[in-house]
Amino acid sequence: MALTTHPPLRLHARPPALAAAHRRRALLPPRRARPCRCCAGAGADAGKAQARRAYPYDEIEPRWQAHWEERRTFRTPDIGDGLDTSRPKCYILDMFPYPSGAGLHVGHPLGYTATDILSRFKRMKGFNVLHPMGWDAFGLPAEQYAIQTGTHPKTTTARNIDHFRTQLKSLGFSYDWDREISTTEPAYYKWTQWIFLQLLKRGLAYQAEVPVNWCPALGTVLANEEVIDGVSERGGYPVIRKPMRQWMLRITSYADRLLEDLDDLDWPESIKEMQRNWIGRSEGAELEFCAVDQEGHDLGAKLTVYTTRPDTIFGATYLVVAPEHVLLPSLTSEEQRVHVEEYTEVAARKSELERTELQKEKTGVFSGSYAKNPATGEIIPIWVADYVLASYGTGAIMAVPAHDSRDHEFALKYELPIIKVVSPPNGNCDPEEAYADDGIMINSSSSSSGLNINGMLSQDAALEVTAWVESNGFGKKKVNYKLRDWLFARQRYWGEPFPVIYLDDTNEMVPLTENQLPLTLPELDDFTPTGTGEPPLTKAADWVRTTDLLTGKPARRETSTMPQWAGSCWYYLRFMDPKNSSTLVDKAKESYWGPVDIYVGGAEHSVLHLLYARFWHKVLYDIGVVSTKEPFKCLINQGLILGEVEYTAYRDNEGKWVSADSDSNLSDCIQEKVPADKITKVGDHYVLKDDPNIRLNARAYKMSKSRGNVINPDDVVSEYGADSLRLYEMFMGPLRDSKTWSTGGIEGVHRFLGRTWRLVVGAPLPDGSYKDGTTATDVEPTFEQLRVLHKCIARVSEEIQETRFNTAISAMMEFVNAAYKWDTQPKSVIDSFVLLLAPFAPHLAEELWFRLGHSQSLAHEQFPEAKNEYLKESEIVLPVQINGKTRGTILVDKECSEDDVFQIAASDERLSKYLDGKAIRKRIYVPGRILNVILDQQKARV
């Protein structure tokens, strides 16, 4: 659709009503008007504000945002509705954001800007681009806010989504908003529930009594990653461990595939390694130890332990069970019962991370029972210790203190035997430390059991022991994983309801039929925890009570809800077909768009979200819903944007300054923040301007409300424009690195955009307005102008492909610097440069494109291609030597002859003094490398 004309842009402030209308149209907040140049003399503040406004972005950006929205410029047609499937596709996706009440801070647009640049670039390269946005909107924050304020989570979530959407649109991101989805919409979570039913049918969803992180204050079970130092991540409430019946997903059934398929992914190696470690595959053996009393009488119980080192069985001098082990009550003697119960109660308050921390002091308590080592026949004690987890292996270990550091520390503390059974190959090891590596077996034979592995290498001994326990019925070979089945339930309201019911008479669980989906949440006014562990949904009595449609029997609904991870596991599929009410995703659309080509998000999601999404995708692959084994082909983790550098000084109790590099104990000093205008840099350090002897600590922190260092992008857009914010975030440094925000830095890129504007449009008129059109003319560009342009095209194209956006911007800055030196601005060259700029600063580029006389948006114009004939360097810098000593350099054409090269050197002001009047014995010329002039030493001296 052709663009309409608009009046010349002015630097004068608009009438307030018109300004407000423009803001509403562009979904931008109202902003104070700025004076024009002729009014700038009214005061220093006005002059400063005017200097910042390098070009009229506040008129350009709302207009183009409205244009894109009205014309649905970035809508991706569906298959069968205008999509040309013969063209290559590129599916570029941001990780699903949670719409918090705080809105965006300037760290959020970093990844969004990167994907927008890639999306715009790919469109201009002829790709069908799918670039959608939606909301992972279920979760605890909205529910906690509802509890505090009485506002329904649905209301809060809708308001937050509106705010996020407005902010994202104000930054000019080219999302296809027709595909917008939210995990809280019944039309969406109908299919989340459908996926759960498929898991249930295949035995991948089940219920079990498991120890969970229970937070009484939040009234919900928390995942391990939601617990920090024994308190909830949100709110800092105490968390305890207690057994509860919960829904679980059998992700462990896919452990090997999740591990093996990592090799084929274009992901950062560090992320793949984190996933490998989380899955934690290990090979070993399960061994059985018979429980006995102190005299060796059989107690009728068998303890199964898992070990990766069965070769060390002769060194097992005690067993350890987890405080939650199911056999612990029966293993605890009456004399020890009080001590064991006190210990398990304390352990229940600790997170798994606290319990397994290597640096923490090991604690434990004797159970009062013993076990018989099957290899030695010895009676060994059974202890309880919290460094053993019920969720890993069997919840019990054989302790070999001579060859495991944790067991060694524990044995020393409680004076338990330490028997060395592995000797290093060279015989050298610290007798005071545990030797944990492989070696040669010693002290490892028993006539009573008939097992003898003395002299064997550790690996051979492990195989021998495993074969021995299998043949004697004491155990078996076992592959184990650190990965646990996924705890898939939360005792809260704001989540997806489980599509199952329980019959009143038998308590049998019955899944809903697919035509009963979606099962929607009931309306509740009271979201507060029940305090008993029962979820808030139990308060919706009419909703809970139901009838089984098949039998007509009375039944009740499940009152736990799915975790927040559920909806974000498959949203990338729904974006392909968001309006389909009959199936999760159309096969033809999934086959064309899948998998996601580029997935961008923070490294904090590197394990759980990605692992859970990969698991669900593989299940959907197995049942024929998707055609690929993996959901995300290429993963990019953007770095953090830290707050501005904070400068901290120190004072002693008397109020005197203390230098940060002094010998004083700074923890005893009073910290004081110092404004940036009060400090200066000396060498690599920052000091007080008034006292350079006082060194300060300078550090940038992660943005957070508690530190007060959050930068709101709305303020930046108001002050500098969206294009300046986009450009600055890309120019700060490599996308994957963490970077420190600097207001001075954004002023620099804003000035660059202003220079670009004036290069194409010209200087402002005396009244502050700009004339129509541009400074570009229809003249033929010179070879040098084309060379500068095509070098820029080649570099920008390559850097975008490699996501080196900062160096792409540098290339465009070099072009602008060169173009300012030209006598003319050829339109064909300026056209191409504006297209290069478009992915980075789309509002400015669209405005310039329109002024250059084009009637269509540049969003789908062809991206410029670099031509090789302009990339070849025709001139080179040639070193010139006189009698073998380099005296200078000259600029010559690559094809220059030896005579021409010598003439250029002889006429060079710096070299001519060595040659004038001198006799030349010979010249040595290596084309493209060097010219060496040998003088006749008898006739001339240099």
Side-chain angles (χ1 to χ4, degrees):
M1 184 178 293
L3 307 180
T4 57
T5 59
H6 54 76
L9 295 173
R10 298 176 181 271
L11 286 176
H12 285 83
R14 285 185 240 97
L18 180 58
H22 274 273
R23 295 298 180 278
R24 286 194 297 274
R25 189 181 187 194
L27 301 176
L28 285 170
R31 183 174 73 251
R32 69 180 185 276
R34 298 181 183 277
C36 67
R37 286 192 176 183
C38 56
C39 308
D45 289 342
K48 185 177 179 182
Q50 182 58 52
R52 282 184 183 154
R53 190 174 183 262
Y55 70 102
Y57 62 86
D58 51 350
E59 298 184 23
I60 293 170
E61 292 177 356
R63 176 165 55 251
W64 286 103
Q65 288 163 18
H67 173 88
W68 296 328
E69 185 160 356
E70 289 166 5
R71 290 159 178 77
R72 298 162 75 197
T73 301
F74 307 112
R75 175 182 174 271
T76 302
D78 270 329
I79 292 176
D81 186 30
L83 186 72
D84 180 2
T85 55
S86 66
R87 297 168 64 183
K89 66 93 180 180
C90 191
Y91 185 177
I92 301 174
L93 186 63
D94 296 293
M95 286 189 183
F96 227 16
Y98 175 77
S100 70
L104 298 176
H105 63 64
V106 292
H108 293 110
L110 179 65
Y112 303 154
T113 303
T115 58
D116 193 61
I117 291 170
L118 291 169
S119 297
R120 290 175 178 274
F121 174 71
K122 289 292 186 180
R123 282 191 202 98
M124 297 172 77
K125 295 291 282 186
F127 285 73
N128 290 328
V129 173
L130 184 59
H131 187 43
M133 176 52 72
W135 318 103
D136 185 15
F138 273 132
L140 270 176
E143 187 161 349
Q144 284 302 108
Y145 186 78
I147 293 170
Q148 295 164 8
T149 65
T151 307
H152 196 285
K154 182 166 60 177
T155 303
T156 305
T157 300
R159 184 169 62 238
N160 292 348
I161 287 174
D162 287 344
H163 181 46
F164 257 69
R165 188 190 304 109
T166 297
Q167 288 186 297
L168 292 176
K169 287 186 175 181
S170 77
L171 293 169
F173 297 136
S174 60
Y175 294 122
D176 179 357
W177 288 106
D178 286 2
R179 295 176 182 263
E180 181 182 8
I181 57 177
S182 169
T183 56
T184 61
E185 297 168 354
Y188 179 87
Y189 68 70
K190 165 186 177 178
W191 298 106
T192 308
Q193 293 171 336
W194 181 87
I195 294 171
F196 175 81
L197 292 177
Q198 310 315 304
L199 294 165
L200 193 62
K201 286 178 187 176
R202 286 153 184 81
L204 296 171
Y206 65 98
Q207 289 181 300
E209 192 86 7
V210 293
V212 298
N213 300 312
W214 170 251
C215 180
L218 294 177
T220 189
V221 171
L222 301 178
N224 290 334
E225 68 277 2
E226 296 174 305
V227 181
I228 301 175
D229 297 331
V231 299
S232 62
E233 182 184 24
R234 295 188 182 278
Y237 301 110
V239 175
I240 63 172
R241 299 280 289 175
K242 79 172 190 176
M244 290 183 70
R245 190 161 183 79
Q246 298 285 344
W247 280 104
M248 308 289 292
L249 296 188
R250 215 179 297 275
I251 189 174
T252 49
S253 296
Y254 282 73
D256 283 328
R257 287 169 63 182
L258 289 168
L259 200 58
E260 293 161 4
D261 292 345
L262 281 170
D263 294 337
D264 299 326
L265 297 177
D266 182 13
W267 288 16
E269 193 56 41
S270 61
I271 301 300
K272 292 199 280 188
E273 192 61 26
M274 289 173 72
Q275 293 224 341
R276 292 187 187 105
N277 292 337
W278 191 270
I279 296 168
R281 187 182 190 277
S282 63
E283 295 184 3
E286 281 187 349
L287 311 177
E288 284 187 351
F289 289 72
C290 293
V292 297
D293 60 18
Q294 192 168 4
E295 285 74 38
H297 300 129
D298 196 332
L299 295 179
K302 290 184 178 180
L303 265 179
T304 302
V305 305
Y306 173 76
T307 177
T308 59
R309 293 293 302 269
D311 56 309
T312 63
I313 189 170
F314 284 94
T317 60
Y318 62 99
L319 300 185
V320 183
V321 298
E324 305 87 0
H325 199 287
V326 292
L327 291 180
L328 181 57
S330 62
L331 294 174
T332 305
S333 68
E334 290 305 316
E335 295 81 6
Q336 289 296 107
R337 192 165 302 280
V338 172
H339 303 297
V340 171
E341 289 176 352
E342 287 177 352
Y343 184 81
T344 55
E345 184 179 340
V346 172
R349 301 192 197 107
K350 298 180 182 178
S351 69
E352 289 192 357
L353 186 62
E354 288 179 285
R355 287 171 54 176
T356 55
E357 179 64 45
L358 290 176
Q359 283 72 37
K360 87 173 188 75
E361 182 183 0
K362 304 299 179 289
T363 62
V365 63
F366 177 46
S367 70
S369 295
Y370 299 82
K372 182 179 288 188
N373 185 322
T376 66
E378 298 288 332
I379 305 300
I380 59 177
I382 301 174
W383 282 69
V384 186
D386 63 6
Y387 74 86
V388 176
L389 303 176
S391 59
Y392 180 67
T394 64
I397 65 164
M398 68 176 198
V400 185
H403 304 291
D404 182 275
S405 59
R406 294 183 308 170
D407 298 344
H408 187 268
E409 181 185 339
F410 192 91
L412 289 177
K413 180 174 181 177
Y414 293 105
E415 299 181 350
L416 296 166
I418 300 174
I419 300 175
K420 182 179 178 181
V421 294
V422 183
S423 177
N426 61 10
N428 297 324
C429 68
D430 187 342
E432 302 300 320
E433 300 289 338
Y435 176 72
D437 293 332
D438 290 346
I440 300 170
M441 306 310 300
I442 59 174
N443 302 324
S444 297
S445 68
S446 170
S447 57
S448 61
S449 67
L451 181 62
N452 182 0
I453 55 174
N454 275 333
M456 288 187 177
L457 295 175
S458 297
Q459 292 179 344
D460 295 334
L463 296 174
E464 180 71 18
V465 171
T466 302
W468 178 79
V469 297
E470 285 183 326
S471 64
N472 287 278
F474 297 141
K476 61 183 179 180
K477 184 178 180 180
K478 179 74 172 178
V479 174
N480 205 11
Y481 302 89
K482 289 182 181 177
L483 179 67
R484 302 290 71 173
D485 279 346
W486 178 6
L487 175 60
F488 195 71
R490 298 289 185 272
Q491 283 61 53
R492 66 187 185 207
Y493 168 74
W494 194 232
E496 299 92 339
F498 282 96
V500 298
I501 59 174
Y502 303 90
L503 301 181
D504 284 355
D505 56 353
T506 63
N507 206 37
E508 177 189 357
M509 187 274 296
V510 178
L512 298 184
T513 59
E514 292 179 13
N515 61 9
Q516 291 177 278
L517 303 181
L519 173 61
T520 57
L521 281 169
E523 293 293 330
L524 270 186
D525 295 325
D526 180 10
F527 317 101
T528 56
T530 60
T532 63
E534 289 292 318
L537 278 177
T538 56
K539 300 175 183 180
D542 292 341
W543 180 85
V544 173
R545 304 303 311 165
T546 187
T547 302
D548 178 24
L549 293 183
L550 184 63
T551 64
K553 293 180 178 181
R556 67 189 184 282
R557 299 193 190 280
E558 171 68 72
T559 53
S560 292
T561 54
M562 298 183 197
Q564 185 173 354
W565 303 103
S568 61
C569 276
W570 69 279
Y571 68 98
Y572 58 95
L573 295 172
R574 195 59 178 171
F575 279 135
M576 300 175 187
D577 196 10
K579 303 295 192 295
N580 197 327
S581 60
S582 59
T583 189
L584 185 148
V585 60
D586 177 79
K587 285 185 178 295
K589 294 176 183 178
E590 185 281 327
S591 180
Y592 179 75
W593 287 115
V596 175
D597 294 286
I598 301 172
Y599 194 35
V600 177
E604 66 271 18
H605 303 294
S606 57
V607 175
L608 295 178
H609 161 62
L610 293 172
L611 202 61
Y612 294 158
R614 294 179 63 221
F615 165 47
W616 277 30
H617 190 88
K618 290 181 183 302
V619 174
L620 294 174
Y621 175 78
D622 289 347
I623 64 177
V625 174
V626 299
S627 58
T628 62
K629 292 182 179 180
E630 288 285 337
F632 312 118
K633 186 176 179 181
C634 173
L635 174 69
I636 299 174
N637 294 130
Q638 84 271 15
L640 292 173
I641 292 185
L642 305 174
E644 294 212 53
V645 174
E646 298 178 15
Y647 304 97
T648 305
Y650 301 89
R651 293 184 188 269
D652 60 20
N653 292 333
E654 297 177 358
K656 296 179 180 177
W657 292 116
V658 178
S659 183
D661 62 340
S662 71
D663 296 331
S664 303
N665 188 354
L666 295 179
S667 62
D668 295 333
C669 295
I670 301 168
Q671 295 187 17
E672 185 175 314
K673 275 190 179 182
V674 181
D677 60 355
K678 302 287 186 183
I679 62 100
T680 188
K681 190 172 185 180
V682 176
D684 294 330
H685 306 289
Y686 293 91
V687 298
L688 289 174
K689 280 183 179 178
D690 295 340
D691 188 350
N693 294 318
I694 301 301
R695 188 181 295 181
L696 311 180
N697 274 340
R699 180 181 170 186
Y701 295 87
K702 185 177 178 179
M703 290 187 186
S704 67
K705 287 189 291 184
S706 60
R707 288 204 69 86
N709 64 346
V710 172
I711 306 293
N712 189 327
D714 295 350
D715 297 335
V716 180
V717 170
S718 173
E719 196 69 25
Y720 299 100
D723 283 343
S724 294
L725 175 60
R726 292 167 58 107
L727 208 67
Y728 175 57
E729 296 212 353
M730 294 298 97
F731 191 58
M732 291 171 76
L735 176 63
R736 295 162 177 82
D737 292 357
S738 291
K739 299 162 278 284
T740 301
W741 180 267
S742 168
T743 301
I746 194 169
E747 289 175 351
V749 295
H750 183 64
R751 287 194 298 271
F752 162 68
L753 292 177
R755 291 191 76 218
T756 303
W757 169 259
R758 293 188 299 276
L759 173 71
V760 180
V761 175
L765 300 172
D767 66 351
S769 67
Y770 288 90
K771 66 178 182 180
D772 287 338
T774 67
T775 60
T777 56
D778 289 321
V779 297
E780 284 296 315
T782 66
F783 183 88
E784 176 61 18
Q785 288 172 330
L786 290 172
R787 192 178 68 84
V788 170
L789 171 66
H790 284 271
K791 282 180 66 176
C792 185
I793 293 171
R795 191 170 167 198
V796 170
S797 300
E798 179 183 352
E799 305 298 48
I800 291 178
Q801 293 275 27
E802 298 299 324
T803 67
R804 296 189 295 256
F805 304 119
N806 55 323
T807 49
I809 295 168
S810 295
M812 290 187 285
M813 289 178 171
E814 291 170 11
F815 174 89
V816 170
N817 288 340
Y820 262 97
K821 298 174 184 176
W822 298 342
D823 294 331
T824 60
Q825 309 294 336
K827 183 178 181 299
S828 60
V829 171
I830 300 302
D831 274 356
S832 295
F833 174 72
V834 169
L835 293 174
L836 293 182
L837 182 66
F840 297 85
H843 307 90
L844 176 59
E846 289 273 23
E847 181 70 21
L848 295 178
W849 188 250
F850 173 71
R851 283 173 164 268
L852 285 162
H854 302 281
S855 60
Q856 301 290 335
S857 166
L858 53 65
H860 296 278
E861 289 291 326
Q862 184 177 347
F863 200 80
E865 295 283 346
K867 295 182 178 179
N868 287 331
E869 60 262 37
Y870 300 115
L871 300 179
K872 298 174 183 177
E873 294 288 350
S874 60
E875 293 182 323
I876 59 170
V877 176
L878 188 76
V880 178
Q881 293 183 342
I882 309 296
N883 289 340
K885 187 172 183 179
T886 301
R887 295 297 188 178
T889 60
I890 54 176
L891 190 66
V892 299
D893 191 277
K894 273 187 177 181
E895 308 302 324
C896 218
S897 67
E898 179 180 340
D899 287 340
D900 289 339
V901 167
F902 178 76
Q903 291 301 322
I904 293 171
S907 61
D908 184 88
E909 185 178 343
R910 294 166 299 171
L911 297 171
S912 60
K913 63 182 179 181
Y914 298 106
L915 299 173
D916 288 348
K918 308 295 192 300
I920 296 173
R921 187 152 57 92
K922 68 174 179 176
R923 298 188 309 228
I924 302 172
Y925 176 55
V926 181
R929 300 288 298 278
I930 197 167
L931 171 67
N932 188 6
V933 180
I934 308 299
L935 303 180
D936 191 328
Q937 296 296 321
Q938 295 180 353
K939 297 183 179 180
R941 256 186 289 169
V942 176

